[in-house]
Amino acid sequence: GGIVLAALYIGGIPFLIVVVAATGIAALEFCQISSHAGFHPSLPITLLLAFGLLFSAYDSRLASLVLAIVFLSSILWLAWNDRPMQGALPDLALTILGAIYSGGILRYALLMRALPDGLALELVTMLGTWACDSFALIIGVNWGRRKFAPRISPKKTWEGAIGGAVCSFLVVLVCGYLLSLPLIHVIVLGILIPI
């Protein structure tokens, strides 16, 4: 956590390195989770698209180039894949979804950091996310009874999800106030982060 916060504060290349690493880890984890479920997304194509989407934060023309490369590589992957088409198509869909989940979302970390209030917005976003996850776990373990999404995550509970969302909103509200962020930005972040 300390390395991430230091890189966030410094910005520039150190922050980019952290976001690139997070993108790679997220893409890898997504592909591993998909593999455990019996699918076989392409990790190389997922990473290529994820990093392309990430770096398109610096030049939007890059997104078109990356999409073209991914489209061509996906066709080649489908052609050379020895699995039946009904198995290969879900794998391709998960390959693309994994890239959007990792590089597509973390792209906004780079865009947000570049805003005039970027450091404060990013800090509030990170603290709100950590608060949501931490309090959801604490509340869910201690008081959780009703399962939230048993097929996706068997241990998540409604009590944990609601408790994490409320605590996250409060953390975002307090931090946003302390960092003098506009109230509308704080409220929107406080609602979106837990979702």
Side-chain angles (χ1 to χ4, degrees), residues 20 38 47 96 117 137 165:
V20 166
L47 288 170
I96 295 169
D117 286 334
L137 176 65

Side-chain angles (χ1 to χ4, degrees), residues 4 13 20 22 35-36 42 60 67 69 75 83 88 99 108-109 112 121 124 132 135 143 150 155 163 167 175 186 190:
V4 173
I13 298 297
V20 166
S35 294
H36 289 308
S42 170
S60 60
L67 289 174
I69 291 170
I75 291 173
R83 299 185 69 217
Y108 291 100
M112 189 185 304
L121 287 168
V124 166
C132 188
F135 284 104
W143 296 284
K155 294 186 179 182
C167 291
C175 291
V186 173

Side-chain angles (χ1 to χ4, degrees), residues 7-32:
L8 171 62
Y9 179 76
I10 296 167
I13 298 297
F15 185 60
L16 175 61
I17 290 170
V18 167
V19 174
V20 166
T23 299
I25 292 167
L28 177 62
E29 286 184 348
F30 187 92
C31 288
Q32 287 175 338

Side-chain angles (χ1 to χ4, degrees), residues 53-107:
L53 289 172
L54 182 69
F55 285 105
S56 71
Y58 296 111
D59 187 346
S60 60
R61 293 172 297 180
L62 184 61
S64 300
L65 174 63
V66 169
L67 289 174
I69 291 170
V70 168
F71 178 71
L72 291 173
S73 60
S74 298
I75 291 173
L76 292 174
W77 181 62
L78 280 175
W80 291 332
N81 196 323
D82 58 356
R83 299 185 69 217
M85 190 61 75
Q86 64 266 26
L89 286 176
D91 292 345
L92 179 59
L94 286 168
T95 297
I96 295 169
L97 181 61
I100 294 169
Y101 166 76
S102 54
I105 291 175
L106 284 169
R107 173 181 187 265

Side-chain angles (χ1 to χ4, degrees), residues 89-179:
L89 286 176
D91 292 345
L92 179 59
L94 286 168
T95 297
I96 295 169
L97 181 61
I100 294 169
Y101 166 76
S102 54
I105 291 175
L106 284 169
R107 173 181 187 265
Y108 291 100
L110 299 176
L111 293 170
M112 189 185 304
R113 182 63 179 85
L115 294 172
D117 286 334
L119 176 59
L121 287 168
E122 200 86 51
L123 183 60
V124 166
T125 301
M126 285 186 180
L127 293 174
T129 302
W130 290 337
C132 188
D133 287 348
S134 299
F135 284 104
L137 176 65
I138 292 167
I139 293 168
V141 165
N142 291 302
W143 296 284
R145 299 288 177 265
R146 293 180 292 276
K147 299 296 183 188
F148 179 71
R151 287 190 316 139
I152 298 171
S153 185
K155 294 186 179 182
K156 284 193 172 41
T157 63
W158 279 104
E159 293 83 359
I162 293 168
V166 169
C167 291
S168 174
F169 184 82
L170 294 173
V171 166
V172 168
L173 201 61
V174 170
C175 291
Y177 172 77
L178 294 174
L179 293 169

